[in-house]
Amino acid sequence: MKAPSKTFKIGGDLPVNRMGYGAMYLTGPGYWGPPADPEAAIRLLRRAVDLGVNFIDTADAYGPDTNEQIIRRALHPYPAGLVITTKGGLLRSGPQDWTRRGQEYIVPCGRPAYLRQQVEMSLRNLGLERIELYQLHRIDPAVPLAEQLGELVRLREQGKIHHIGLSGQPEVTVEQLTKAREVTEIAAVENLYNVADRTGEKALRYAEEHGIAFVPWFPMGHGDLAKPGSVLSAFARKRGVTPAQLALAWLLHKSPNILAIPGTTSINHLEENCRAAAITFDEGEMAALVEVAATVQTWRPSVDRPVPAGAKEMS
């Protein structure tokens, strides 16, 4: 099997290294509030850039807002070629929203006026004049998709967004991608996907066919694949690497359209994750990893929770 490519061009014109960084963990408990040690978060972000990471994933819902703000504090003025992708359109109610309780609070708000407000807030939080890749955090079933994306198109026409993407909780389907592309070109899709949970395989293939970046969130199964004693541990020992490195390398080999965004608060783990880009597999090893990972069920969010009365939008 040929070594995976190191880079991908988002939207055909935005080159990034395929090993990126997901900044979500640089927040307080429950992804709520600022990180406990802001200076450590700043050091980690700067180290990521030193290691060649030039694709950083965040969202206005992380904190809320504080995740974007710590990125600005650490890296602004931004080095040439650094792409920060952020997302909007998902509400928060508190630090218990996304804990593994079985019924997560995953409530979208795709009203055009709200999306415009959130784009403006992200521009301010990040200190940017234009967001290179802005993703709808979750499609809102209560608002026509054409209206949600139409507002992002208007913001793009005004120079506030460069490329538009879609994020799924847990995933964007092929049908949704097809409908979205009737409104505007989609440069990226961010879905839950890893070696143990390949439910989004059809969306990945669609992304490949149409030149769309595929960004797997929870690439290590919310940590289930990376923890000591995970199902990947024995395989990792044979290769002299960590389970996390195996899971990441598998993704980079799986498709040239995949951009990995592992998150961590540890510089040591960050450096280990970046080294995963140098690992190579043959086809037999790729298949063997799938077989091994099939023995574990990684976490998926439950999104059937009704919208509570009085749910608040971010502002």
Side-chain angles (χ1 to χ4, degrees):
M1 177 177 285
K2 188 167 64 174
S5 60
K6 301 294 185 183
T7 62
F8 180 85
K9 287 187 177 181
I10 299 171
D13 67 354
L14 200 62
V16 296
N17 294 326
R18 294 178 59 216
M19 182 61 77
Y21 175 70
M24 182 176 73
Y25 291 105
L26 301 182
T27 50
Y31 316 110
W32 189 265
D37 188 343
E39 294 305 318
I42 289 170
R43 289 193 295 272
L44 187 142
L45 286 163
R46 291 175 177 170
R47 179 58 178 152
V49 171
D50 289 343
L51 291 168
V53 170
N54 62 359
F55 181 68
I56 296 176
D57 178 271
T58 183
D60 62 27
Y62 304 160
D65 297 328
T66 61
N67 200 235
E68 294 176 331
Q69 292 164 359
I70 198 71
I71 290 171
R72 176 179 182 172
R73 183 176 164 189
L75 301 175
H76 194 277
Y78 299 113
L82 177 65
V83 174
I84 300 170
T85 176
T86 193
K87 302 179 285 290
L90 198 63
L91 305 181
R92 294 296 307 273
S93 69
Q96 299 302 313
D97 289 349
W98 299 340
T99 55
R100 296 169 66 164
R101 296 174 296 144
Q103 283 290 323
E104 285 67 42
Y105 180 89
I106 299 177
V107 180
C109 181
R111 294 187 301 104
Y114 181 69
L115 294 177
R116 175 171 288 274
Q117 168 190 283
Q118 294 310 108
V119 168
E120 296 286 1
M121 290 287 289
S122 288
L123 286 168
R124 185 175 73 181
N125 286 334
L126 289 166
L128 292 170
E129 295 184 0
R130 183 177 77 172
I131 297 167
E132 294 301 318
L133 173 61
Y134 190 86
Q135 300 183 76
L136 185 62
H137 208 155
R138 189 184 184 212
I139 295 171
D140 187 346
V143 180
L145 181 58
E147 292 184 15
Q148 297 175 68
L149 292 177
E151 188 64 27
L152 298 185
V153 169
R154 284 187 284 276
L155 286 158
R156 183 178 62 197
E157 291 170 349
Q158 293 167 7
K160 298 175 185 291
I161 292 172
H162 184 36
H163 288 303
I164 295 170
L166 294 174
S167 179
Q169 310 297 319
E171 60 200 7
V172 179
T173 67
V174 169
E175 292 74 21
Q176 289 171 325
L177 280 168
T178 302
K179 289 180 180 178
R181 293 182 68 245
E182 293 174 359
V183 180
T184 184
E185 280 301 313
I186 299 299
V189 57
E190 188 165 330
N191 278 0
L192 191 158
Y193 186 84
N194 54 65
V195 64
D197 187 342
R198 301 182 310 286
T199 309
E201 195 79 27
K202 289 183 180 179
L204 172 58
R205 295 304 160 218
Y206 184 93
E208 288 178 341
E209 292 168 7
H210 296 89
I212 298 170
F214 188 90
V215 187
W217 59 270
F218 284 170
M220 292 175 277
H222 202 268
D224 292 335
L225 298 171
K227 62 187 179 184
S230 84
V231 295
L232 301 183
S233 293
F235 200 116
R237 282 194 297 271
K238 292 178 181 178
R239 289 296 308 265
V241 298
T242 67
Q245 288 174 321
L246 274 188
L248 293 170
W250 184 89
L251 286 170
L252 295 177
H253 280 74
K254 178 66 176 176
S255 168
N257 291 56
I258 283 180
L259 305 180
I261 52 166
T264 182
T265 60
S266 162
I267 287 180
N268 287 338
H269 288 164
L270 170 72
E271 293 171 346
E272 286 180 358
N273 292 342
C274 288
R275 289 197 293 271
I279 297 172
T280 58
F281 294 130
D282 59 35
E283 292 182 3
E285 288 174 313
M286 288 288 288
L289 272 174
V290 170
E291 185 175 350
V292 169
T295 63
V296 65
Q297 183 175 357
T298 54
W299 178 81
R300 289 176 68 83
S302 175
V303 296
D304 296 328
R305 182 174 182 156
V307 179
K312 293 184 178 181
E313 299 175 2
M314 290 176 290
S315 61

